[in-house]
């Protein structure tokens, strides 16, 4: 895979020729609505020819296997396909056995870089005595690149038919699916959630359903509701029994407690509650996790942070999702949603008190469109990365990239003369996040929120690691 940033005057045809990749493959990989109109500064993922193949209309796995001289079973195993018949347009496939014909000007190093493998691996598998003895027309076998396994979670808030379709299309990329949300009640019961269809879809894709429990009421997190639970062991007992009943009945494999805005004085109560949950859920084979606010120190002040005890919870639960996003929140000033320099500050603290193999880094699948000059009290509009590109196309904007935040942005003026500033995600910002997950040796990544189109993300994720499957 390559990531290409469009320059002034470039066309998709010229980019295709440069990389030796079919135009249709590039267009499908990026789901370009109008391939003839590219935006200056737009990032494109470019499949590696012979190594990555993007499924086109009319394709089937048998024909693809024949084209690349491999088998259906080999492709299915390499891509973790639960059902080889069930493939979708735009899906990226890694070809486990592939070959490259040396072209003029190519070297062993450039070929290895194109396929993201070590030059020594190519020389070994092809029995090349010297890296300087390549010749034009020589056919080289390219070894399959080893990708590590990581756990991947995706929260989902829409539970209708479109959600189940989305799960079937993207399920191979996930370890967990987390329908949002079951909310606690003061008597220890839980609100209802119409999650049967998405759970069924998740399990059919070997994705473990993750039950989310919150103190979320009337579109807000409620501090008093959390206190009513954390200060009463009888209510806790009832909640745990209700939780077990729902998990067993519906087929959940794990639970995620997303209690926010907890009173600081309930910090130890929250830790004790989690210990009680673990003692009762572990014997039943269930995993227990929490979602925590992005802290920089153990003593960080503020009701969002103080009751979230990184060190204690790191010892108690199986894994922790750090909500490392929303710096650029809807009610704030224009900013990157998850500026990578700020994310790293959180992780630099977190890894000192939480085992790295218990940390899942939060990542956004969305962007925001602010009206500028920004005025306090105004709200930005949430946009998908695909929608952001469409806005840049429509208004003739040039996309810029902030290297400190590792995030793309642009400005435009609408039909009414109103100026806007848009921060969003693209292949570059996604790669920056996967680099952090890999470099910090974390358990994995957790997305908020499934349902906003961002096809590049899944292509880039697949190039970095495979999603571990637990069922």
């Amino acid at each position: 895979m390559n990531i290409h940033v469009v320059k002034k005057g470039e066309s998709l045809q010229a980019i295709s020729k440069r990389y030796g990749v079919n135009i249709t493959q590039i267009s499908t990989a990026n789901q370009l609505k109008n391939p003839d109109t590219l935006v200056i500064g737009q990032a494109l993922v470019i499949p590696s020819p012979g190594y990555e193949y993007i499924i086109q209309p009319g394709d089937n796995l048998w024909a693809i296997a024949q084209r690349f001289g491999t088998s259906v079973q080999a492709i299915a195993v390499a891509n973790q396909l639960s059902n080889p018949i069930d493939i979708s347009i735009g899906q990226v496939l890694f070809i486990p056995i592939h070959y490259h014909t040396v072209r003029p000007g190519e070297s062993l190093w450039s070929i290895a870089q194109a396929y993201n493998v070590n030059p020594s691996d190519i020389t070994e598998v092809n029995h090349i005595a010297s890296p300087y003895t390549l010749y034009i027309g020589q056919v080289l076998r390219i070894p399959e690149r080893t990708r590590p396994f990581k756990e991947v979670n995706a929260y989902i808030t829409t539970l209708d038919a479109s959600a189940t379709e989305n799960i079937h299309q993207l399920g191979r990329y996930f370890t967990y699916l987390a329908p949002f949300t079951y909310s606690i009640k003061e008597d220890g019961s839980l609100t209802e959630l119409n999650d049967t269809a998405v759970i069924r879809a998740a399990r059919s894709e070997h994705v473990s359903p993750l039950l989310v429990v919150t103190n979320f009421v009337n579109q807000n997190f409620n501090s008093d509701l959390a206190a009513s639970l954390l200060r009463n062991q009888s209510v806790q007992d009832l909640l745990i029994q209700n939780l077990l009943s729902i998990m067993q009945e519906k087929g959940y494999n794990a639970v995620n407690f997303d209690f926010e805005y907890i009173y600081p004085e309930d910090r130890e109560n929250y830790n004790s509650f989690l210990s009680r949950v673990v003692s009762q859920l572990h014997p039943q084979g269930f995993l227990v996790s929490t979602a925590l606010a992005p802290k920089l120190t153990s003593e960080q002040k503020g009701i969002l942070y103080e009751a979230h005890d990184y060190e204690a919870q790191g010892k108690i639960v199986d894994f922790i999702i750090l909500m490392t996003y929303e710096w650029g929140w809807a009610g704030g000033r224009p900013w990157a949603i998850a500026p990578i320099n700020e994310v790293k500050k959180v992780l630099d603290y977190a890894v000192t008190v939480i085992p790295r193999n218990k940390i899942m880094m939060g990542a956004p699948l969305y962007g925001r469109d602010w009206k500028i000059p920004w005025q306090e009290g105004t709200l930005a509009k949430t946009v998908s990365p695909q929608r952001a590109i469409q806005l840049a196309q429509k208004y003739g904007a040039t996309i810029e990239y902030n290297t400190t935040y590792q995030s793309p942005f642009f400005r435009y003026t609408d039909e009414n003369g109103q100026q806007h500033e848009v921060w969003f995600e693209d292949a570059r910002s996604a790669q920056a996040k996967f680099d952090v997950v890999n470099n910090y040796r974390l358990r994995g990544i957790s997305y908020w929120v499934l349902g906003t189109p961002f096809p590049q993300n899944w292509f880039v994720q697949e190039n970095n690691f495979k999603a571990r499957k637990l069922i």
Side-chain angles (χ1 to χ4, degrees):
M1 177 199 76
N2 286 287
I3 298 175
H4 179 85
V5 180
V6 177
K7 300 177 180 63
K8 185 177 181 180
E10 281 191 319
S11 66
L12 197 59
Q13 183 177 10
I15 296 169
S16 167
K17 184 177 180 179
R18 172 179 173 177
Y19 291 96
V21 180
N22 184 279
I23 287 179
T24 306
Q25 285 282 290
I26 299 174
S27 180
T28 307
N30 295 276
Q31 293 188 18
L32 301 178
K33 291 196 70 173
N34 186 356
D36 295 326
T37 306
L38 299 179
V39 179
I40 299 172
Q42 177 180 0
L44 298 173
V45 290
I46 311 295
S48 297
Y51 181 69
E52 297 156 340
Y53 179 76
I54 311 301
I55 295 175
Q56 307 294 312
D59 275 340
N60 63 69
L61 217 54
W62 183 86
I64 295 170
Q66 290 294 304
R67 179 182 306 175
F68 291 102
T70 183
S71 68
V72 169
Q73 182 180 9
I75 294 177
V77 170
N79 293 276
Q80 297 178 282
L81 301 179
S82 57
N83 182 358
I85 299 175
D86 188 17
I87 57 176
S88 55
I89 298 170
Q91 180 179 344
V92 58
L93 292 178
F94 286 86
I95 308 303
I97 301 174
H98 37 276
Y99 298 89
H100 177 87
T101 302
V102 179
R103 297 191 295 265
E106 288 187 321
S107 66
L108 185 65
W109 183 86
S110 67
I111 295 169
Q113 185 182 46
Y115 290 98
N116 199 16
V117 297
N118 290 323
S120 60
D121 292 338
I122 297 178
T123 59
E124 182 179 350
V125 76
N126 291 281
H127 307 291
I128 298 173
S130 169
Y132 304 105
T133 59
L134 298 186
Y135 57 87
I136 296 171
Q138 182 178 1
V139 177
L140 298 176
R141 177 171 176 174
I142 308 298
E144 183 179 2
R145 180 169 58 87
T146 301
R147 290 171 290 144
F149 283 92
K150 296 287 184 181
E151 291 194 1
V152 181
N153 174 59
Y155 288 100
I156 186 169
T157 57
T158 302
L159 307 180
D160 57 13
S162 66
T164 59
E165 181 180 352
N166 212 5
I167 294 166
H168 285 305
Q169 289 177 343
L170 301 176
R172 62 190 171 279
Y173 302 117
F174 308 137
T175 307
Y176 308 100
L177 181 83
F180 192 88
T181 174
Y182 283 89
S183 296
I184 61 173
K185 296 182 179 180
E186 290 186 355
D187 62 358
S189 61
L190 289 159
T191 57
E192 295 183 356
L193 190 65
N194 186 19
D195 51 5
T196 303
V198 294
I199 291 174
R200 186 185 303 116
R203 297 190 70 88
S204 72
E205 300 296 335
H206 302 286
V207 178
S208 301
L210 177 64
L211 189 151
V212 182
V213 182
T214 65
N215 57 320
F216 197 67
V217 181
N218 297 325
Q219 303 302 308
N220 287 292
F221 288 92
N222 189 294
S223 306
D224 291 329
L225 184 59
S228 69
L229 169 73
L230 299 177
R231 299 175 187 180
N232 190 320
Q233 289 195 5
S234 297
V235 174
Q236 292 176 28
D237 288 337
L238 289 171
L239 176 67
I240 294 170
Q241 290 307 309
N242 287 325
L243 182 61
L244 276 168
S245 177
I246 293 172
M247 294 178 75
Q248 291 166 343
E249 175 188 346
K250 293 196 171 184
Y252 278 100
N253 297 96
V255 62
N256 178 244
F257 289 97
D258 181 12
F259 288 176
E260 301 184 30
Y261 295 93
I262 303 171
Y263 290 123
E265 55 266 34
D266 284 320
R267 177 184 176 116
E268 292 305 321
N269 291 335
Y270 191 20
N271 293 338
S272 297
F273 166 70
L274 291 171
S275 294
R276 299 184 74 213
V277 171
V278 167
S279 68
Q280 295 191 51
L281 265 63
H282 273 185
Q284 303 297 323
F286 296 120
L287 297 174
V288 179
S289 65
T290 55
L292 298 182
K295 295 177 65 168
L296 301 179
T297 69
S298 61
E299 301 304 319
Q300 189 163 335
K301 299 301 181 183
I303 194 170
L304 182 62
Y305 308 102
E306 291 180 62
H308 283 185
D309 189 335
Y310 275 33
E311 185 171 8
Q313 293 194 24
K315 295 174 182 176
I316 296 168
V317 302
D318 297 296
F319 63 91
I320 288 171
I321 293 171
L322 297 181
M323 295 182 284
T324 42
Y325 37 73
E326 285 293 280
W327 274 269
W329 64 292
R333 297 178 180 276
W335 195 7
I337 310 300
I340 207 71
N341 60 321
E342 299 296 334
V343 171
K344 287 181 178 178
K345 290 176 186 177
V346 175
L347 290 173
D348 286 340
Y349 162 59
V351 297
T352 65
V353 291
I354 304 173
R356 294 172 188 263
N357 64 0
K358 286 190 175 186
I359 298 174
M360 296 184 73
M361 186 188 84
L365 295 176
Y366 58 94
R368 289 216 164 93
D369 180 343
W370 283 267
K371 292 180 179 180
I372 56 173
W374 178 78
Q375 295 182 0
E376 191 166 356
T378 61
L379 293 176
K381 182 179 180 181
T382 300
V383 295
S384 71
Q386 291 294 83
R387 177 58 181 161
I389 295 295
Q390 292 166 14
L391 285 170
Q393 286 178 334
K394 179 178 179 180
Y395 294 104
T398 294
I399 296 172
E400 301 178 62
Y401 193 77
N402 187 296
T403 55
T404 299
Y405 304 149
Q406 292 288 303
S407 180
F409 70 100
F410 62 90
R411 298 181 182 92
Y412 72 92
T413 302
D414 66 23
E415 296 86 348
N416 299 317
Q418 174 66 55
Q419 293 181 309
H420 295 250
E421 184 168 320
V422 179
W423 289 84
F424 65 109
E425 303 294 325
D426 69 3
R428 294 168 292 181
S429 66
Q431 182 61 60
K433 293 172 180 62
F434 298 136
D435 285 341
V436 169
V437 171
N438 288 325
N439 293 339
Y440 278 75
R441 306 190 309 279
L442 304 181
R443 184 187 188 99
I445 195 164
S446 175
Y447 297 114
W448 182 272
V449 55
L450 198 61
T452 50
F454 187 15
Q456 291 183 342
N457 187 80
W458 315 118
F459 192 112
V460 181
Q461 177 185 303
E462 278 288 271
N463 264 271
N464 283 270
F465 45 75
K466 297 180 181 180
R468 180 174 286 114
K469 298 292 186 178
L470 304 181
I471 59 173

